[in-house]
Each structure stands twice: as C-alpha cells, then as structure tokens.
Amino acid sequence: MRLLIVEDEKRLAISLARGLTAEGFAVDVVHDGAEGLHRATDGAYDLVILDIMLPGMNGYRVCAALRAAGHDVPVLMLTAKDGEYDEAEGLDTGADDYLTKPFSYVVLVARVRALLRRRGGTGSPVVTVGALRVDTAARRLHLDGEEIALTAKEFAVLEQLALHAGQVVSKAEILEHVWDFAYDGDPNIVEVYVSTLRRKLGAAAIRTVRGAGYRLEAL
C-alpha cells in the first residue's frame, strides 16, 4: 500500500515515514500543502496522512480541493489543535479520520490500517485465499495453519496480490503500491520478489499472466 505524508514538521514526517516503511508500506513525504495537493492529485495513493497547519495551503483546503476534484483517497488528518470545532471542520472538508498531536504511533498505524480495510470493502483484516491466510493487521501469513516468515517487502507484494485475489495485478501496479515515488531502480525487482514468494508458498500460488501481470490463486 502506498501512502503520502503531508507534514511540515520534518522530524515527525521522517520518523513516521521510517516507521511505516518498516511496516511494509511505500511512503512518500512532502512538507507543504500545495505540493501535497499536487502529489495527491497525480499519484496513485491508497491513503494520505495530512497535517492541518501547513505552509502555503492548509490541510483543510488541501482536503476540500481533493474532494472537489473527485478524489476519494482516504485522508487521515493530523493536528496540534484540540477541540470539537476543529475536528468537525476537518471531517466536514472530507477527511475520513482525525488524530490530535501528540499521538501514539501504534494508534496511528491502527487508524491507517482501519481506513485501508474500509476502503477495500471489508471490516476484517484477514484475507483468506484457499489455504493461505493473510493477516494484514498483524502482518502474518499462514499456509495450511503453519506460519510462513516473510520480509516486510515480501508481505507487501503478497498483500497487494491477496487484496485482488483471482484478478490480474500488473507489475506497474505492484511497483506503484509497494515501492515509493523515489524508486528508480530496475522494475524487474517485482519478479525477484514474486520468485521468492513462489519458493515459500509453492509455485502454483502465483500465476504469471503473460504480458499482463500476476494472479494469486487458491491452493
């Protein structure tokens, strides 16, 4: 899943980005409202973490502009402000959730995962594909009841396939949602991770659809 953080407190933004990257997300960071709106409008993000007090263009205006343009990407607003009026204003502009600083990182990650599950149309963090049980909240995978150890990136690739089980997911879509905007390496890195997953799950789990991408199938 690919996230955009729009936060002018650079130390906080970098800290959040590092933590969320370690959780298996692809994370991009910008530090002002106008750039955040531009990136959120042009990028294929699964969720935006948006501070309210931003230089140039505040978070309220960024969120309102996104919604006016027809973008339904989930928005989690962050602010140092406190009070019901600020929360109501944030939600009225189209934000999906609201977190007041200082906040617990664990709570932020839980809110992020809840919003992503909601967007995916399921309240359950567990995706079952045949003998595979993919727990997107705990970041754990079980095959026939036995836990399979995966790295953060391996899990992120599998998660993208599991959330679209039975459908073809292109290499470009996996790159877009698993690696961040700054990645300019070899796009064949996706093939490397798919190959590793096949060794751990069995070759039949992930089918290559020539010229189109990959499909996760029930074992």
Side-chain angles (χ1 to χ4, degrees):
M1 293 293 173
R2 190 174 173 197
L3 312 182
L4 175 66
I5 297 174
V6 188
E7 168 62 68
D8 65 330
E9 294 182 43
K10 294 186 179 181
R11 290 179 62 183
L12 173 60
I14 291 170
S15 176
L16 289 178
R18 286 175 177 168
L20 290 166
T21 298
E23 296 282 343
F25 296 105
V27 183
D28 296 329
V29 178
V30 295
H31 302 295
D32 68 84
E35 177 63 18
L37 177 60
H38 172 73
R39 191 68 69 84
T41 300
D42 291 348
Y45 292 102
D46 297 289
L47 183 138
V48 176
I49 298 174
L50 177 65
D51 189 31
I52 289 179
M53 303 302 289
L54 292 167
M57 186 179 193
N58 69 35
Y60 295 137
R61 292 175 58 200
V62 172
C63 189
L66 274 174
R67 297 305 186 230
H71 294 279
D72 63 352
V73 59
V75 173
L76 173 60
M77 275 193 166
L78 306 180
T79 182
K81 290 185 174 184
D82 197 5
E84 294 181 359
Y85 175 77
D86 297 317
E87 181 173 359
E89 187 173 355
L91 297 175
D92 282 346
T93 60
D96 298 273
D97 204 353
Y98 183 98
L99 206 53
T100 302
K101 301 175 186 176
F103 52 80
S104 160
Y105 172 73
V106 173
V107 171
L108 179 134
V109 172
R111 297 280 186 90
V112 165
R113 294 201 188 284
L115 287 173
L116 291 172
R117 289 197 302 272
R118 191 185 307 168
R119 191 187 195 199
T122 174
S124 171
V126 178
V127 179
T128 302
V129 185
L132 293 175
R133 186 176 184 274
V134 185
D135 189 330
T136 61
R139 317 300 287 171
R140 299 173 72 179
L141 168 70
H142 289 82
L143 173 59
D144 285 325
E146 180 180 348
E147 185 165 0
I148 306 295
L150 298 180
T151 66
K153 272 288 187 282
E154 288 169 357
F155 191 93
V157 172
L158 178 64
E159 180 180 33
Q160 191 64 20
L161 292 169
L163 290 173
H164 301 87
Q167 304 172 31
V168 176
V169 182
S170 70
K171 185 187 297 183
E173 288 174 315
I174 295 173
L175 275 173
E176 201 169 64
H177 289 275
V178 177
W179 278 267
D180 60 31
F181 184 79
Y183 180 77
D184 61 357
D186 189 344
N188 289 326
I189 188 71
V190 175
E191 296 177 11
V192 174
Y193 277 89
V194 168
S195 177
T196 301
L197 286 170
R198 282 172 169 155
R199 286 198 299 271
K200 292 185 176 184
L201 307 181
I206 303 174
R207 300 282 187 184
T208 298
V209 180
R210 189 174 298 276
Y214 304 98
R215 183 174 61 236
L216 182 66
E217 298 183 344
L219 293 173

